[in-house]
Amino acid sequence: MDSITQAVLGAAIGRACLGKVKVNKAALAGAIIATIPDLDVLLYLIYSPFEMLSIHRGYSHALIVLSFLSFLVAYLLSRLRIFKNESFSRLLFFSWLTLVTHALLDAFTAYGTQLFLPFSNERFGFDSINVVDPVYTLPMLLGLGMSIGWFGKKWKTAKWNYFGLVISTVYLLSTLGVKQHIEQRFKTYCRQEKILPKEMLTMPVGIGNLRWYGVAKTQDSIFLKPIHLFNPEEGSLNGFRINETLLEKLSPEQRQVMKWFSKGFYTVRELDGSLKVYNLQVDMRGVVKTENVYAPTAGYFEFIPDGNGSYSFGSGAHPSKSK
């Protein structure tokens, strides 16, 4: 999820867990700790964008790493004066819950989170909520705000924080049910269109869990269809050749990373001398149709020949409205 949402969740957990600390300080501590896993973005200063594809949401989001890190965070908190009245076990539970829920919340989104490193580098994800969704964030933010007195002292009670957490959590879990419903509709549609996919994918787009994309992968093609929760007739089916053989022009590492990062849901095309890889597991901005471009989404990874038989990595987007 976005950094603001992660900070709000951490603050709400701090408000709920640290009973002997002033509520504003407890919330601030939670917000700060909740941002720690996303500090891996600082590694962009050291590593290339291509290397960061496997580093971001990697070890910094692995459950075992975060569990060990919680001991260090709890120890550092215990050395601070404001936490002197909290037991180490409570500080440890607070630190662990704040860090682990960050990774688990990210796993509900489409990007993929390597929760089980170092045992597996699988990019785990429920793919059930957009990276930015105020419907999840706002109830939690309002509950936190009332519980720490943003709306006046008469609101300053812990119950509002709990209400906000419960409402947001129920909404988050409900997205899994919506996803199951969308998947069944998409499977039915594929059968009607006589499409026999090897694999299928459904991805939410926008806020409120209303708009989705269904992606069906056959032996040599990808088919996409926009799906609206309350409008079965929305959007038409679009098909694209995968063109997997074009990936043979890349190095073995580049091919492996592209397939791994997209979880196998990608298409490739050669345009203007470069290879463009469209990752349909993450980037679902809508089909692009112009005079010169017919693409499954606007964003792409680009591999540009350097004249020495190899390709340099980049990214871009088609400047066009999606359909």
Side-chain angles (χ1 to χ4, degrees):
M1 296 292 283
D2 63 283
S3 298
I4 293 176
T5 299
Q6 292 286 9
V8 171
L9 176 59
I13 292 173
R15 174 67 175 95
C17 289
L18 302 180
K20 297 179 182 179
V21 181
K22 286 186 176 181
V23 293
N24 57 338
K25 293 182 179 179
L28 178 61
I32 292 173
I33 294 171
T35 64
I36 290 175
D38 281 343
L39 292 179
D40 64 354
V41 297
L42 296 177
L43 294 176
Y44 275 103
L45 299 173
I46 302 173
Y47 295 96
S48 69
F50 182 77
E51 293 171 318
M52 286 299 297
L53 291 178
S54 57
I55 292 174
H56 181 48
R57 289 199 188 180
Y59 278 99
S60 68
H61 287 63
L63 296 179
I64 190 170
V65 173
L66 294 176
S67 295
F68 280 112
L69 179 61
S70 64
F71 282 90
L72 174 60
V73 173
Y75 171 75
L76 294 176
L77 292 177
S78 70
R79 308 299 294 175
L80 297 177
R81 187 174 179 179
I82 62 173
F83 298 106
K84 65 180 181 180
N85 293 324
E86 296 287 355
S87 67
F88 183 79
S89 60
R90 181 178 287 271
L91 292 174
L92 178 60
F93 175 71
F94 157 65
S95 301
W96 177 84
L97 187 62
T98 305
L99 291 170
V100 167
T101 53
H102 177 118
L104 293 177
L105 182 57
D106 275 348
F108 276 81
T109 67
Y111 188 90
T113 307
Q114 298 174 69
L115 294 178
F116 304 113
L117 282 173
F119 309 107
S120 170
N121 71 342
E122 179 184 357
R123 295 178 58 248
F124 181 84
F126 294 112
D127 305 336
S128 68
I129 192 171
N130 197 36
V131 173
V132 179
D133 192 342
V135 178
Y136 172 76
T137 309
L138 286 178
M140 195 162 48
L141 180 62
L142 290 173
L144 174 66
M146 287 191 287
S147 73
I148 64 178
W150 287 354
F151 299 92
K153 289 186 178 181
K154 70 176 182 177
W155 299 100
K156 195 173 181 180
T157 175
K159 69 178 181 180
W160 299 115
N161 187 53
Y162 293 124
F163 286 159
L165 279 169
V166 168
I167 293 171
S168 290
T169 301
V170 168
Y171 170 71
L172 180 65
L173 295 177
S174 75
T175 64
L176 298 175
V178 174
K179 182 179 177 69
Q180 289 296 315
H181 172 70
I182 294 294
E183 285 181 349
Q184 289 303 316
R185 280 175 47 185
F186 187 51
K187 287 179 181 178
T188 300
Y189 182 85
C190 287
R191 285 195 297 267
Q192 293 172 347
E193 296 296 317
K194 296 182 172 52
I195 297 172
L196 302 175
K198 295 168 51 181
E199 298 177 85
M200 296 181 68
L201 177 72
T202 53
M203 306 292 297
V205 292
I207 65 174
N209 224 231
L210 299 176
R211 296 181 60 245
W212 293 71
Y213 259 94
V215 185
K217 179 182 178 182
T218 64
Q219 185 67 33
D220 57 8
S221 299
I222 289 281
F223 296 90
L224 295 89
K225 184 185 187 307
I227 306 170
H228 194 285
L229 182 59
F230 300 120
N231 182 10
E233 303 302 322
E234 182 188 55
S236 58
L237 185 73
N238 290 273
F240 300 87
R241 301 283 292 183
I242 295 174
N243 296 321
E244 186 171 357
T245 55
L246 290 176
L247 288 183
E248 296 299 320
K249 297 185 177 185
L250 305 179
S251 70
E253 181 187 10
Q254 290 172 331
R255 290 197 301 270
Q256 187 273 329
V257 170
M258 286 296 98
K259 293 180 179 181
W260 169 80
F261 189 74
S262 65
K263 297 183 182 179
F265 288 91
Y266 63 88
T267 66
V268 190
R269 68 177 303 184
E270 194 164 17
L271 185 66
D272 300 328
S274 67
L275 294 182
K276 290 179 170 52
V277 181
Y278 300 91
N279 175 17
L280 305 180
Q281 195 274 326
V282 174
D283 193 312
M284 298 296 290
R285 306 185 208 180
V287 173
V288 175
K289 293 181 179 180
T290 67
E291 182 178 347
N292 301 315
V293 176
Y294 177 52
T297 185
Y300 54 81
F301 295 125
E302 187 172 30
F303 291 89
I304 303 171
D306 61 8
N308 297 315
S310 58
Y311 287 77
S312 60
F313 175 77
S315 61
H318 295 298
S320 172
K321 295 182 180 180
S322 61
K323 301 292 185 183

